[in-house]
Amino acid sequence: MTTEQVFTDATRASGKALIEVSGVDKFFGDFQALKDININVGLQEVVVVIGPSGSGKSTLIRCINRLEKHDHGTIIVDGIELSDDVRNIQEVRRETGMVFQQFNLFPHLTVIDNITLAPRQVRRMPKKEAEELAMRMLERVKIPEQAHKYPGQLSGGQQQRVAIARSLAMQPKVMLFDEPTSALDPEMIKEVLDVMVELAKGGMTMIVVTHEMGFARAVANRVVFMSDGQIVEVGPPEHFFTDPQEDRTKLFLSQIL
Amino acid sequence: MTATAERAPAPPRASPLGWIKERLFRNVWSGFVSVVLIAVVAYMGYRAFAFVFINGQWDAISRNLANFMIGRFPRDQIWRLVAQILLLGLGLGVGAGTASGTARDKAEESGLTYEPPTLLGTLRRFWSLIAFVVVILFMAGTRGPWLVAGGAVVLGYIGWQSWRLPRTVRLLSWLVTGLLLLAAFQVVSGTDGLAWVPVALVVAMAAWLVVPVDRLDSPWRQLAGLGAAAAGVAIVYLIYQEIAAPGVGWDQWSGMNLTLWWSAIVITLAFPAGLLLGLARRSSLPALRYLATTYIELIRGVPLITLLFMGEFILGFMLPAGTSLSSISRSIAAGTLFTAAYVAEIIRGGLQSLPLGQTEAGQALGMGTPVILRKIVLPQALRAVIPAMVGQFISLFKDSSLLFIIGVTDFLRVRAIVHAQPDFRVVAHAETLVFVAIGFWAIAYAMSRESQRLERKLGVGVR
Amino acid sequence: MLRGVGQVVALAAGAAVVWWLLSNLITNLNRSGIPTDFGFLTRPTQFTIAYAPAFEARSPVWQMVLVGIKNTLLAGFVGILLASVLGLVVGIARLSENWLASRLATVFVEFFRNIPPLVVIIFFGAAVFTFGPLPVLSEAIEISVPGSSDTLLLLSNDRWGIPGFVSRGDVPAYLGVLVVGLAVAALLWIWRTRVNLSIGEPHHRVLWSLAALLAFAVLGYVVLGGPFGIEWPSLSENRRVIASGFAMNWGFLALTGALALYTASHIAEIVRGSIQAVPKGQTEASSALALNGFQRYRFVVLPQAMRIAVPPMINQFLNLIKNTSLGVAVAYAELATLTRISIGNGRPAVQSIVVMMVVYLAFSLTISVILNVVNRRLQLVTR
């Protein structure tokens, strides 16, 4: 039941997976971080990846936009196969947005410049158009009034929301989240999760690595449990949390819930 | 998931060809750069090879090795230098052993593992120094230098065994190190005149520290410490009255010997001076603070050569008529004045890097300011500045070459002696310069590697 | 309380020592009949300066000081320029993925950082020039311009000649043309920037402006009938001096070349350190946004790296200027050398050295002020 390709209704409807990961291994020196990963993510699917630290969850999504290079197997994003070809990689990165645990906003640029940088340089958007797009994104994440501040002047929650707006401004097909709330103070987690929930409800395809089970229960189509570089169990949240199949999953869930 | 257990894939191994492609020819630009660089390296390698092995006139150096190492030192007193090298070997061995012992103690306490240095590890660590010494020994041709070097290594190894000593004797071990180093200095410079002063200072410090502590700041402890220190000073003085004998004063030291000792002496004198200056700079008394700051900014704004000129031309006038100082003494004074300002800034940086919470914690515990300074602030601050101090010493070592300009025969200026010889008046200039450059480089490189290593070990991060 | 007393005592003791030294100084100077004023500055120097034929022995000493300052700054600026360019290249090479480039850059840095600058200077002075492979001036090596009989470079062990500019016509008019060209370039810059803002097309404004400037430079030259010419270096009739072109003496070349190499090794380390200090997350975020390598460097990495690099680089510039004082070793007529010569010629030592120190202090204070201004402007805005 675990590594079987499980498609959601939406994917079956379109007939094709947005992201196909087949037989992927990843080594750091002699240490194997990913072992034979097979997973497909369909259009408008929200996949939440959970697992103990060191299980390879971050490595997996970083392989999808080539921040890490996978060693065996194939990764296909929106029909483009990831290879060493730079143009390939750039195409994939245009279609994927990533939100980091440490926000990684550009501290020397204002919020609006942070957001408009990539659309202007990569998609050759004129400045005015890019700024209008940026303001729309800022409104989507509910902080339009911060447009001309610098990241250093914002709270953690605001910075992460700017980071989300920055990725959205490139109008990606899929958003990758690498533990987006792990570096936030508790009172700011909710504001970021709310934005993510709204994104999901709006139909964005998302892969989210997180410890926030509430989020998973609310919007995930599938929950994936990884441990020691392998996908141990996959399932819809209704079944996953109430009736896990594998022992390792049960152990992990008992530790965190 | 079940499939994984049977497959066991292997990590990708890079083939040599793959490495070349990846590292040298990844793209067109990289390939072009690689080709150009290979050509350049090949040509320079060929020229260097010819220079070193074929047409270089290295006899200018092999015939002048003694000059390079000890310059104009009176040749009949060479036994002093031999004794110095042996004592230095022993002293540095004991010092290294004691430091190693202290490191082991700390590791034991905190549960970390201590990795004792291996022979291979030490060879790799100091490869530039060892290579330089070996090359010189081979050039020397005679057996004498080999015996001396071997003796120093053996004594160093014996001294190294001090790491086995129990913790209670550590302080004594440090004292012995200090005395051995001083002895190495005085076996050449002589034990007459003021020679007893530095030894008395070291013994007094050790005596003060050895007096057992029962309560912090008990007045009896202070008194007992002072008494022990005074007793130490008296004993040393009396001993020196007995063994007073003139030696070869530092005015006659030259060559590499002078370069090394000059740097060591200047940093030793500049450290307490710089410490006091650094504290003065943070003093609550505005006049003191203002003067210290002015001095520091003044010195740091001018090149060392101006101070050396001051020493050469002005210092003589500042002393009562009739007193004369040798060139070397004047340059040491100038160097100390110069370095003290930089040491003061380093210490200021160290003091500032200490979180305010440390002083506040001490105050909350009811300690007075001098105690806080001595027991909390200074130990941490001084530990934090060790890498910067080593860097300053390396700088000083390189700056010692400026002695050349004021006519003192340091390692660099020995070339003047060599090229005054009829055989080498117009030839071998490049060879002697390369030799001098490599001599400086071998030592400075080894020190700079040690400094980086220290920085890593002390965990003092670079911001 | 005790501490306060201790500080007062320290202050008093220090003051007493200084007072004692100074009074000795004045007494001894007076006794030796050496003047204690600065009048010597207006009296004739009584020696000439090598390679500076315009300076006469009867010129007052303060003019000699000016020559020293000018030479110091000349070596300083040229050295800073060369060191910055070389240091930048080597620093970036150290981070290159090309193994050869990064290794060679490392060797360069580790070599020059660990030898005294004086050794490098003397190496250039002795092994390249004075006792080196270059011939004497009368038999200088003449490297011709390819395809003609004019000399491009004159190389000897004493002086080098490079092409110089000489006025042959209406130079002010040409300068006027250049100014117009600059204005046009500026307008083009603005226009291209507007285009980029409005329709998003890459502005390439640097290329456009440079092309315009070049066009004006060339056209102006042609139209005005060659208002200036290149004067090729050549030897005089008696083959004793360089009669045309621009001459550089060996002291300048040795000092500047050596300091450029030495300081470049430090600047390379600063450049490397500053680029490595930019957090990895910044490059990851810009990669994730599909910015290519050049865009990453230009918009994200370099702006942040420069903030970190500028203060220590300015410090290195100051060090280079202070190190020009080593020109004494190659008899280059910068301030320290001239001071030393003039003291040797009987000028009062104390005052001369004071003048020298004041000048160097002026340099370093100026640079400190610049550093502070730059530091303030580089601060990132935080709350």
Side-chain angles (χ1 to χ4, degrees):
Chain A
M1 148 137 209
T2 48
T3 46
E4 225 170 85
Q5 267 83 346
V6 173
F7 289 84
T8 62
D9 298 325
T11 320
R12 278 198 210 102
S14 73
K16 181 164 88 83
L18 192 53
I19 298 182
E20 294 170 36
V21 178
S22 333
V24 164
D25 297 318
K26 167 73 187 157
F27 289 88
F28 288 110
D30 280 334
F31 169 68
Q32 189 166 11
L34 292 176
K35 300 174 184 164
D36 189 28
I37 304 291
N38 293 287
I39 186 165
N40 284 10
V41 177
L43 199 57
Q44 300 193 331
E45 243 203 292
V46 174
V47 174
V48 171
V49 183
I50 62 172
S53 59
S55 55
K57 358 187 254 295
S58 289
T59 314
L60 175 57
I61 61 168
R62 286 160 65 92
C63 282
I64 292 179
N65 70 351
R66 199 67 166 191
L67 284 182
E68 304 285 354
K69 182 178 153 183
H70 61 277
D71 292 316
H72 300 125
T74 58
I75 300 181
I76 302 180
V77 177
D78 195 24
I80 309 164
E81 180 173 344
L82 269 181
S83 68
D84 282 332
D85 187 350
V86 171
R87 275 167 315 191
N88 246 336
I89 300 176
Q90 291 298 86
E91 249 195 284
V92 166
R93 286 177 176 168
R94 281 199 288 271
E95 302 308 323
T96 53
M98 182 170 244
V99 176
F100 297 84
Q101 183 177 356
Q102 301 296 335
F103 332 139
N104 290 336
L105 291 181
F106 306 133
H108 58 293
L109 299 174
T110 56
V111 160
I112 196 161
D113 286 336
N114 259 276
I115 302 177
T116 56
L117 177 66
R120 286 176 63 188
Q121 296 302 324
V122 178
R123 297 210 192 271
R124 307 278 171 96
M125 213 181 268
K127 178 170 175 188
K128 193 142 167 281
E129 202 183 310
E131 287 187 347
E132 282 164 12
L133 173 62
M135 290 308 295
R136 285 203 303 276
M137 296 298 121
L138 280 176
E139 268 154 39
R140 231 171 131 181
V141 299
K142 314 248 186 332
I143 40 170
E145 70 282 358
Q146 308 291 348
H148 296 283
K149 296 246 178 82
Y150 283 90
Q153 297 172 288
L154 302 179
S155 74
Q158 290 169 325
Q159 287 187 49
Q160 191 64 301
R161 286 188 278 161
V162 170
I164 296 176
R166 179 175 68 172
S167 298
L168 286 177
M170 285 294 282
Q171 294 158 326
K173 295 223 172 76
V174 56
M175 287 282 282
L176 305 168
F177 291 82
D178 190 358
E179 302 209 33
T181 55
S182 299
L184 293 174
D185 292 333
E187 64 269 16
M188 293 192 258
I189 294 182
K190 181 175 184 305
E191 67 195 52
V192 172
L193 286 180
D194 285 345
V195 166
M196 289 166 65
V197 164
E198 230 191 279
L199 262 183
K201 293 210 168 112
M204 173 64 78
T205 316
M206 295 162 67
I207 307 181
V208 183
V209 173
T210 185
H211 298 297
E212 297 291 327
M213 301 303 158
F215 174 79
R217 270 195 260 252
V219 287
N221 297 113
R222 268 189 290 164
V223 178
V224 173
F225 173 62
M226 281 184 73
S227 173
D228 293 318
Q230 299 168 311
I231 295 183
V232 174
E233 186 168 344
V234 181
E238 315 82 70
H239 297 155
F240 191 88
F241 292 110
T242 51
D243 188 21
Q245 302 287 313
E246 299 287 328
D247 286 334
R248 274 194 276 179
T249 320
K250 289 183 189 157
L251 185 62
F252 178 72
L253 286 177
S254 69
Q255 284 167 340
I256 58 164
L257 285 179
Chain B
M1 183 194 144
T2 44
T4 331
E6 290 151 9
R7 248 219 278 165
R13 295 271 178 230
S15 64
L17 215 59
W19 182 90
I20 292 184
K21 180 162 180 288
E22 178 71 18
R23 295 300 203 149
L24 294 177
F25 296 100
R26 184 184 283 216
N27 52 46
V28 175
W29 169 246
S30 184
F32 173 70
V33 166
S34 296
V35 165
V36 168
L37 287 179
I38 290 176
V40 167
V41 168
Y43 176 68
M44 285 189 6
Y46 162 71
R47 292 297 297 260
F49 186 81
F51 179 67
V52 172
F53 292 106
I54 302 180
N55 46 28
Q57 282 153 305
W58 298 101
D59 53 331
I61 295 164
S62 50
R63 275 160 51 177
N64 280 295
L65 272 177
N67 277 330
F68 273 110
M69 292 297 125
I70 59 177
R72 293 192 219 265
F73 195 85
R75 296 295 189 259
D76 57 333
Q77 305 276 337
I78 283 206
W79 63 269
R80 293 182 187 270
L81 287 176
V82 171
Q84 177 172 89
I85 295 180
L86 295 175
L87 281 169
L88 275 176
L90 187 60
L92 290 173
V94 173
T98 318
S100 170
T102 320
R104 263 174 243 247
D105 296 340
K106 281 216 172 72
E108 237 177 80
E109 274 172 27
S110 53
L112 297 165
T113 45
Y114 174 79
E115 289 170 13
T118 60
L119 181 62
L120 204 62
T122 313
L123 282 176
R124 279 186 68 183
R125 212 165 126 188
F126 298 107
W127 69 268
S128 64
L129 267 178
I130 295 175
F132 183 62
V133 169
V134 165
V135 164
I136 295 180
L137 289 178
F138 269 108
M139 274 186 152
T142 60
R143 245 187 330 182
W146 283 99
L147 288 173
V148 173
V153 170
V154 166
L155 283 174
Y157 185 68
I158 294 176
W160 165 258
Q161 303 308 312
S162 68
W163 68 264
R164 300 174 194 274
L165 292 173
R167 189 181 303 203
T168 44
V169 201
R170 281 277 180 254
L171 189 60
L172 198 63
S173 207
W174 283 117
L175 178 65
V176 167
T177 311
L179 290 177
L180 279 171
L181 293 175
L182 276 172
F185 180 78
Q186 290 185 346
V187 77
V188 179
S189 71
T191 46
D192 54 347
L194 291 172
W196 63 274
V197 173
V199 181
L201 273 172
V202 170
V203 169
M205 256 191 345
W208 165 278
L209 287 171
V210 121
V211 169
V213 120
D214 33 75
R215 268 194 335 223
L216 228 57
D217 257 354
S218 144
W220 287 116
R221 185 208 176 276
Q222 309 271 40
L223 220 56
L226 272 172
V233 169
I235 294 176
V236 168
Y237 181 73
L238 289 172
I239 293 181
Y240 265 77
Q241 296 303 87
E242 282 298 309
I243 65 172
V248 180
W250 69 29
D251 308 337
Q252 300 193 45
W253 298 8
S254 46
M256 172 61 95
N257 186 277
L258 174 65
T259 294
L260 286 169
W261 275 112
W262 189 90
S263 317
I265 294 170
V266 168
I267 199 88
T268 310
L269 293 176
F271 181 69
L275 182 58
L276 290 173
L277 253 184
L279 289 173
R281 202 185 182 298
R282 285 165 56 97
S283 148
S284 45
L285 203 65
L288 201 57
R289 194 172 60 233
Y290 179 72
L291 284 174
T293 313
T294 314
Y295 177 83
I296 293 175
E297 292 306 316
L298 211 112
I299 300 281
R300 280 164 56 94
V302 297
L304 175 56
I305 197 81
T306 55
L307 287 165
L308 286 175
F309 281 171
M310 245 182 69
E312 269 297 286
F313 300 114
I314 304 185
L315 198 59
F317 286 117
M318 283 188 168
L319 298 173
T323 48
S324 73
L325 285 175
S326 66
S327 235
I328 292 186
S329 305
R330 279 179 275 159
S331 67
I332 290 184
T336 308
L337 285 176
F338 183 75
T339 311
Y342 287 83
V343 169
E345 276 298 280
I346 291 176
I347 290 188
R348 181 174 83 109
L351 288 171
Q352 271 184 335
S353 74
L354 212 58
L356 189 60
Q358 294 290 308
T359 329
E360 289 178 345
Q363 286 166 340
L365 285 166
M367 299 188 200
T369 332
V371 184
I372 294 181
L373 200 66
R374 217 172 58 225
K375 292 218 177 292
I376 301 179
V377 172
L378 276 183
Q380 291 189 59
L382 290 180
R383 197 157 172 273
V385 301
I386 290 180
M389 287 294 295
V390 174
Q392 189 60 37
F393 180 65
I394 297 176
S395 233
L396 187 61
F397 175 68
K398 290 192 294 178
D399 285 343
S400 71
S401 56
L402 265 70
L403 289 174
F404 166 88
I405 295 185
I406 53 173
V408 173
T409 313
D410 72 321
F411 186 52
L412 176 58
R413 204 181 170 87
V414 173
R415 288 183 64 246
I417 300 180
V418 171
H419 292 294
Q421 295 163 358
D423 279 349
F424 303 117
R425 238 187 276 272
V426 285
V427 297
H429 281 266
E431 283 82 345
T432 52
L433 274 165
V434 167
F435 179 69
V436 166
I438 292 188
F440 274 107
W441 182 85
I443 298 175
Y445 181 71
M447 288 199 285
S448 114
R449 288 285 286 248
E450 277 305 297
S451 159
Q452 286 166 1
R453 202 165 164 275
L454 263 175
E455 235 174 292
R456 272 198 306 267
K457 270 178 59 176
L458 289 178
V460 184
V462 181
R463 287 299 165 83
Chain C
M1 174 62 210
L2 200 66
R3 194 145 165 266
V5 168
Q7 291 180 39
V8 171
V9 165
L11 190 57
V17 167
V18 171
W19 177 251
W20 178 71
L21 288 172
L22 283 179
S23 62
N24 276 341
L25 180 65
I26 309 247
T27 320
N28 287 332
L29 282 181
N30 282 332
R31 191 178 312 164
S32 316
I34 299 177
T36 48
D37 63 352
F38 284 87
F40 76 102
L41 286 171
T42 49
R43 285 191 266 277
T45 318
Q46 291 173 352
F47 61 86
T48 53
I49 301 177
Y51 304 112
F55 185 84
E56 298 156 20
R58 60 195 165 104
S59 312
V61 172
W62 63 264
Q63 277 191 4
M64 175 207 83
V65 172
L66 282 182
V67 171
I69 295 178
K70 168 185 148 248
N71 282 337
T72 298
L73 288 176
L74 193 65
F77 281 144
V78 175
I80 287 176
L81 206 65
L82 291 174
S84 302
V85 169
L86 187 59
L88 199 69
V89 168
V90 173
I92 292 184
R94 273 200 77 166
L95 296 171
S96 161
E97 7 173 76
N98 185 310
W99 180 87
L100 257 183
S102 74
R103 278 295 184 208
L104 285 178
T106 309
V107 166
F108 175 87
V109 168
E110 287 301 324
F111 180 69
F112 279 103
R113 268 207 318 172
N114 288 306
I115 55 179
L118 187 56
V119 171
V120 186
I121 293 173
I122 294 184
F123 183 85
F124 274 68
V128 173
F129 287 99
T130 313
F131 297 102
L134 295 168
V136 290
L137 188 60
S138 50
E139 292 153 36
I141 299 176
E142 308 191 11
I143 299 180
S144 324
V145 178
S148 92
S149 63
D150 293 317
T151 325
L152 184 62
L153 283 175
L154 263 182
L155 302 175
S156 78
N157 68 358
D158 168 55
R159 259 171 279 224
W160 281 10
I162 59 174
F165 288 109
V166 71
S167 155
R168 275 199 214 137
D170 205 345
V171 173
Y174 186 74
L175 286 175
V177 169
L178 278 184
V179 166
V180 173
L182 262 173
V184 169
L187 285 172
L188 272 176
W189 180 283
I190 297 172
W191 172 63
R192 289 302 303 173
T193 313
R194 286 243 175 89
V195 163
N196 166 262
L197 290 181
S198 65
I199 66 171
E201 185 188 312
H203 45 59
H204 296 310
R205 55 193 179 189
V206 176
L207 285 173
W208 278 80
S209 301
L210 275 181
L213 201 55
L214 200 64
F216 266 82
V218 168
L219 274 174
Y221 188 84
V222 168
V223 163
L224 285 175
F228 63 87
I230 298 185
E231 194 184 52
W232 303 112
S234 66
L235 291 174
S236 62
E237 275 291 313
N238 57 9
R239 301 185 76 83
R240 277 173 171 276
V241 291
I242 293 185
S244 60
F246 187 74
M248 302 182 293
N249 67 67
W250 69 279
F252 171 79
L253 291 164
L255 182 67
T256 312
L259 285 182
L261 284 174
Y262 177 76
T263 314
S265 68
H266 287 269
I267 290 185
E269 272 301 275
I270 293 172
V271 166
R272 176 185 76 105
S274 69
I275 291 183
Q276 281 184 327
V278 176
K280 197 160 156 249
Q282 296 290 304
T283 33
E284 287 189 346
S286 36
S287 300
L289 287 168
L291 292 165
N292 68 30
F294 179 72
Q295 291 163 338
R296 265 205 311 270
Y297 259 82
R298 173 150 179 242
F299 293 105
V300 177
V301 176
L302 283 184
Q304 296 186 58
M306 263 184 18
R307 278 161 212 275
I308 305 176
V310 167
M313 268 183 59
I314 293 188
N315 201 31
Q316 285 302 318
F317 295 160
L318 176 61
N319 279 345
L320 191 145
I321 293 192
K322 286 198 286 183
N323 278 337
T324 57
S325 60
L326 298 175
V328 180
V330 284
Y332 175 60
E334 44 78 41
L335 188 58
T337 316
L338 289 178
T339 307
R340 211 227 188 146
I341 296 179
S342 92
I343 294 180
N345 268 295
R347 302 286 156 275
V350 179
Q351 294 89 312
S352 303
I353 294 182
V354 166
V355 168
M356 180 168 77
M357 286 174 85
V358 164
V359 171
Y360 280 113
L361 270 174
F363 289 150
S364 66
L365 280 176
T366 314
I367 294 193
S368 281
V369 165
I370 295 178
L371 184 56
N372 279 333
V373 167
V374 165
N375 255 334
R376 252 199 306 267
R377 298 210 51 199
L378 285 181
Q379 291 296 336
L380 285 174
V381 181
T382 53
R383 52 181 188 169

